[in-house]
Amino acid sequence: MDKHRRTFLKRAAGGAAAAVASSGAGAFPRREELPLPPNAIGMLYDSTMCIGCRACVDACKEANDMPVEQPAKFSDWNQDTWDTAEDLSGRTLNVIQVYADGTKEHKDEVENGYAFVKRHCLHCVDPSCVSVCPVSAMIKDPDTGVVTHDRDACIGCRYCVYGCPFGVPQYEFHDPFGQITKCQFCIHLQKEGRLPACCDVCPTGASLFGLVEELQKEAEQRLAAKPGEPYVFPRGKLGDDKYPPHEAPLPEYEPYVYGVTESGGTQVRYLTGVPHEKLGLPEVQAASFASIAEGMQHTLYKGMIAPLALLAGLMYFAKRSTRQDSDDED
Ligand code: SF4
Ligand code: SF4
Ligand code: SF4
């Protein structure tokens, strides 16, 4: 394809998108948001309880048969021995990241402090990855709400990568037959009556498994109690006595449970000691992207506006491109 034709196609696609976008998403009716499923399961990650041991990262790798990840600088030595994942990738479904400031003396403080954050799929209540997938390879369980990925159905288009507001799905670029990867809530372990690996191994209960509604009550209880008071923190699964709880003074929390409203709500919720933006948890609008995008799509295609906008975009840039070509030739 020559340079002009490539530029033309790029501009035409952009023009059509801009034509649709300029009409404003607010002008379209939204489809109704999906509610929390009846037996929604989820996770409460309490950043203040996290000690950054990364036991959850290792357990996740092992449980999901994922390769170790190492920065390129380590490629000549110790290859494939231990994992140093810094972000989510085609090799890593779960990662612990660190916020750090100044002298890094105080845990869960913004100034001269540090704090941990765990990143993986949030199992959205109304997931955009499911909404954008053209072949239904992303599936939300109607009962538990767990969002899984069907490798056999997936065509590798990566729409889910661009559609997820939390940057979760990743592509296996290291594999010539690469696929999409993301946390599936260890559904294979849950089928055997086991806990998701990360919650099972977490020594402090920072990653706590349970029913979303009960986890939310637990989070609100922690926020309502007085900082410094002794509190009994459950471990593993909320309401289960497999692992003994541990007592510790309550920290000073940010007065916000992340995941209640973000993009229509998520089944993984966060309590933090520093503002969530500091931890890289994105500021996301309350309305689910899926409900907005699907509302737009239905309206546009009903009125044949999308094909017309695309045609208008193509014609406009075809004209401009032709004029430019003849200018270039002069
Ligand atoms: S966090 Fe992203 S990948 Fe996970 S369910 Fe939500 S939209 Fe899908
Ligand atoms: S639920 Fe399983 S797949 Fe998801 S982050 Fe935890 S260990 Fe990894
Ligand atoms: S296992 Fe628990 S304490 Fe350790 S890094 Fe993971 S979430 Fe934090």
Side-chain angles (χ1 to χ4, degrees), residues 120-130 138 147 160 163-169 182-183 266:
H120 49 68
C121 177
L122 282 82
H123 299 277
C124 300
V125 176
D126 192 357
S128 37
C129 60
V130 172
M138 287 286 186
V147 179
C160 56
C164 171
F166 304 101
V168 169
K182 75 164 203 74
C183 151
T266 63

Side-chain angles (χ1 to χ4, degrees), residues 137 149-155 172 175 177-181 184:
H149 172 248
D150 179 351
R151 288 178 82 94
D152 295 332
C154 180
I155 53 170
E172 292 171 332
D175 185 341
F177 302 102
Q179 260 282 5
I180 292 294
T181 60
Q184 320 220 44

Side-chain angles (χ1 to χ4, degrees), residues 43 56 59-60 64 93-94 118 120 183-186 196-199:
M43 199 187 299
C56 56
C60 178
N64 295 284
L93 309 177
N94 164 33
K118 182 165 174 260
H120 49 68
C183 151
Q184 320 220 44
F185 223 159
C186 289
C198 56
C199 299

